[in-house]
Amino acid sequence: MPDLDARARVILGENDRGGFTVPTSGLYPFQWNWDSCFVALGFAAFDEDRAWQEIETLLSSQWADGMVPSIIFHQDDPGYFPGPEIWATGRTPHSTGITQPPVAASCVRLLLEQARDRSAAEHRARALLPKLLASHRWFHEARDPSGSGLVTTIHPWETGMDNSPAWDEAMARMEVAPDLEPYERRDTGHVDASQRPHKSDYDRYMTLVELFRRHGYAHEIEALSPWRVADPCTNFLLLRADRDLAWLAEQFGEPTRQIQIWITRAEAALPRLLHPATGHPHALDLVTGELAPTPTSAGFLSLWAGLGDAATIERLEAWIAPTPYPVASVAIDDRRFESRRYWRGPTWAFANFMIADGLARSGRPDLASRIQTATRTLIERHGFFEYFDPLTGEGCGGDSFSWTAAMWLAWASRDRAGG
Ligand code: DGY
């Protein structure tokens, strides 16, 4: 599909702000953490140097304690809320004070494995290794101070799946601050409100931001947050990223003992997320100790983490069977399913990539290529949108979206079904 390849490259070029890429202009006018990692895979299809640069810019914004923020506000933009003046983290460059699911080490490994210029790639990867290690250490220490093997997520924005129904119970029992500063959302000026989270969600998002700001984003917010969840996505991505970090460390003769300890601990703890009736991984509310009742596609990211078994694949087959455009983030027959509302049903190309990659590595390249073909068809018919209605394929959210363009170039349009 040469035309779509060209279009995807144009999107990345237009969203390139010089060393980093915005997810889409208007709605998300800054650098987002996990977006940039997937975007690097797209750049690698035609400009390896630019691919490395995307991750280097992201990691150059790492905090001294190792945290890589969810958003880096390299420049001002009044079109987004909440911007740097609300977060007020006092960091340079300006950033949020929370993180996002860790994929940098996994993307660095993929860049290195696929490099056309291996020695240049080794040089770039080696230089990033200490930063990746520091970010993983931050996750395992600041977000799992008791060494339980599960890391805590303290804000729905950290999961990247802001309004997933997996958070409904934890959100419902959380009180909105009575003195919450009045605010004006900007997202609904760019995208129809029916495709975005509700005001009741935003009130809670902002309550959490104000609390973290009052505590100067110190590590104690892990314990203080009224919203504390063991998110399957974050924990599965961290496990995969730890495995990839260990692989990278081995390439460069660096010790891996600590990383192996993190891996062993996570493998022992992750079964706590499994729903007793179905075996599907669910979000664990760390305040109440209860599993969220609603299963989501985040549970299938166990495949990306190398934990998928025959039962996982069977559940995935049942999940996608009735869906015209898989993989729906919420099962289409779930009572909470909404086909166009952000993380309450839509299909996302980058999530499909991770699930397919896991399937290809679990001996199911046939199912991986089914998901790949479905994603390709979605983009061919409906364009490079942020996410898609799994029933009609209609593009939703932001248009000309960087990670959708990147997933086209790196995976959906290619022969290889995995990463
Ligand atoms: C947003 O603003 O919608 C983002 O998801 C926050 O990271």
Side-chain angles (χ1 to χ4, degrees):
M1 278 295 198
D3 289 357
L4 286 180
D5 279 16
R7 177 71 198 129
R9 285 198 296 269
V10 166
I11 290 172
L12 292 187
E14 285 174 356
N15 289 341
D16 186 350
R17 296 291 183 273
F20 73 94
T21 308
V22 300
T24 182
S25 63
L27 182 63
Y28 304 128
F30 309 109
Q31 182 175 27
W32 258 259
N33 178 334
W34 69 344
D35 289 69
S36 270
C37 299
F38 292 110
V39 160
L41 301 181
F43 273 125
F46 63 101
D47 185 346
E48 290 190 325
D49 173 56
R50 184 62 189 76
W52 287 102
Q53 195 186 22
E54 187 75 22
I55 297 183
E56 287 161 358
T57 307
L58 173 68
L59 292 179
S60 71
S61 311
Q62 180 171 40
W63 285 17
D65 66 0
M67 187 186 78
V68 183
S70 60
I71 310 173
I72 325 297
F73 303 113
H74 292 286
Q75 78 288 308
D76 279 343
D77 194 305
Y80 181 81
F81 176 86
E85 67 296 340
I86 300 289
W87 285 95
T89 55
R91 300 309 202 275
T92 309
H94 294 303
S95 73
T96 63
I98 57 174
T99 192
Q100 259 185 336
V103 277
S106 303
C107 292
V108 165
R109 177 176 177 173
L110 290 171
L111 290 183
L112 181 57
E113 283 179 332
Q114 295 165 19
R116 291 180 287 281
D117 184 347
R118 176 84 190 188
S119 82
E122 277 178 2
H123 182 74
R124 313 282 285 257
R126 182 192 279 272
L128 291 174
L129 191 57
K131 290 168 187 267
L132 294 170
L133 186 61
S135 95
H136 288 221
R137 189 180 299 285
W138 174 83
F139 264 109
H140 290 290
E141 293 180 358
R143 290 309 182 79
D144 182 17
S146 68
S148 74
L150 293 176
V151 298
T152 311
T153 297
I154 59 171
H155 194 299
W157 283 340
E158 285 200 323
T159 70
M161 302 184 178
D162 308 8
N163 65 341
S164 167
W167 321 140
D168 285 4
E169 283 69 25
M171 290 292 263
R173 60 160 178 70
M174 204 195 119
E175 281 178 26
V176 175
D179 55 350
L180 185 65
E181 287 169 28
Y183 64 90
E184 192 192 327
R185 284 173 66 172
R186 301 287 155 77
D187 58 322
T188 43
H190 301 289
V191 169
D192 194 89
S194 65
Q195 299 176 16
R196 294 288 302 173
H198 292 287
K199 178 179 185 314
S200 54
D201 295 317
Y202 262 79
D203 285 349
R204 286 166 176 78
Y205 300 157
M206 294 316 299
T207 295
L208 291 169
V209 170
E210 288 188 6
L211 174 74
F212 303 159
R213 190 179 60 209
R214 275 203 305 284
H215 289 274
Y217 304 98
H219 288 184
E220 69 207 33
I221 59 180
E222 187 274 335
L224 284 175
S225 176
W227 197 90
R228 303 175 68 248
V229 165
D231 163 34
C233 172
T234 302
N235 280 283
F236 286 136
L237 268 55
L238 182 59
L239 175 56
R240 163 75 179 255
D242 276 334
R243 298 194 204 282
D244 292 330
L245 185 65
W247 182 89
L248 286 164
E250 270 163 21
Q251 302 302 301
F252 302 118
E254 297 292 335
T256 61
R257 204 173 149 267
Q258 179 60 64
I259 308 171
Q260 298 302 348
I261 291 172
W262 293 333
I263 292 172
T264 309
R265 236 161 44 186
E267 284 175 341
L270 276 161
R272 289 176 59 202
L273 303 187
L274 302 185
H275 193 282
T278 63
H280 192 71
H282 285 225
L284 174 63
D285 186 331
L286 295 168
V287 175
T288 61
E290 283 169 15
L291 287 176
T294 305
T296 71
S297 66
F300 295 120
L301 294 170
S302 60
L303 290 155
W304 171 255
L307 294 180
D309 55 9
T312 308
I313 293 170
E314 220 173 278
R315 279 198 315 279
L316 177 63
E317 286 184 302
W319 186 282
I320 66 179
T323 316
Y325 296 95
V327 177
S329 43
V330 176
I332 64 171
D333 58 357
D334 193 290
R335 69 184 171 88
R336 293 180 179 174
F337 171 78
E338 290 180 74
S339 67
R340 294 149 53 109
R341 197 182 291 283
Y342 210 34
W343 282 99
R344 301 185 74 86
T347 297
W348 296 71
F350 81 100
N352 286 2
F353 162 72
M354 288 189 282
I355 292 170
D357 176 275
L359 284 167
R361 290 164 197 258
S362 313
R364 287 301 301 268
D366 57 319
L367 195 51
S369 76
R370 230 169 90 198
I371 292 174
Q372 182 189 30
T373 304
T375 311
R376 183 186 306 151
T377 307
L378 204 46
I379 296 173
E380 280 168 1
R381 291 191 190 153
H382 299 279
F384 292 95
F385 276 87
E386 183 180 6
Y387 45 98
F388 301 88
D389 182 325
L391 303 180
T392 65
E394 185 191 336
C396 300
D399 194 358
S400 301
F401 215 86
S402 294
W403 69 12
T404 309
M407 288 296 100
W408 173 268
L409 291 167
W411 167 68
S413 67
R414 297 292 177 255
D415 294 334
R416 214 182 40 242

